[in-house]
Amino acid sequence: KPDVTPIPKAVPLPVEISGRKNKEIAHIIVHDKKITLNVYDNGTVDGDTVSIFYNGRLLINHQRLSGKPITVDLTLDENTKLHSIVLFAENLGSIPPNTALVIFTTPSGKRYELFSSATLQQNAEIIFEYIPL
């Protein structure tokens, strides 16, 4: 297994997110530096709201999940091996916990479907390990 460098934190995390534990829901090795992230409400659309962080930087703030995706195009930093996506539950909707369907795609055609669950005490975290070919 290759040496793993710590995930850089570009800015200090907001108090709300740093006070919660991150639960890793997936660790995915990718060979493409470009990734498209689509986030949907999982199951019943019940008013779940999330903020999304990439390596400690806020990408999406207080967005309601629905059947229509929240789409984010990311370009991974080539100088960093590990990349963190954190889904921060702003609320629990009408049916706790805050759940999401997260679909990642890459230009080479890879597709990953993940189910996340977050609470007001625990974030959902996805780790990408970037290994260029």
Side-chain angles (χ1 to χ4, degrees):
K1 186 169 176 139
D3 290 333
V4 176
T5 55
I7 296 170
K9 300 296 179 191
V11 293
L13 294 174
V15 173
E16 297 86 3
I17 195 171
S18 63
R20 295 184 188 180
K21 293 183 178 188
N22 287 343
K23 180 182 178 187
E24 186 177 312
I25 61 170
H27 186 120
I28 301 169
I29 295 174
V30 294
H31 304 294
D32 294 294
K33 69 178 183 176
K34 293 189 181 287
I35 294 174
T36 298
L37 161 71
N38 288 294
V39 183
Y40 303 82
D41 201 332
N42 183 37
T44 304
V45 176
D46 65 336
D48 290 334
T49 303
V50 297
S51 291
I52 301 172
F53 293 83
Y54 167 62
N55 287 353
R57 292 179 303 219
L58 181 64
L59 294 179
I60 301 293
N61 191 26
H62 286 84
Q63 291 292 308
R64 183 165 294 207
L65 297 174
S66 70
K68 182 179 177 184
I70 297 171
T71 301
V72 178
D73 292 312
L74 291 175
T75 301
L76 303 178
D77 179 355
E78 293 180 17
N79 299 314
T80 302
K81 185 177 282 190
L82 294 180
H83 303 268
S84 168
I85 301 288
V86 172
L87 279 73
F88 176 86
E90 297 290 349
N91 68 14
L92 301 179
S94 61
I95 307 170
N98 184 310
T99 56
L101 167 62
V102 183
I103 300 175
F104 290 94
T105 56
T106 66
S108 64
K110 297 285 184 184
R111 183 177 192 272
Y112 305 91
E113 230 178 81
L114 307 168
F115 297 95
S116 77
S117 177
T119 66
L120 300 180
Q121 294 78 37
Q122 182 173 276
N123 303 313
E125 181 178 35
I126 301 163
I127 302 293
F128 288 101
E129 188 170 346
Y130 175 60
I131 302 174
L133 292 179

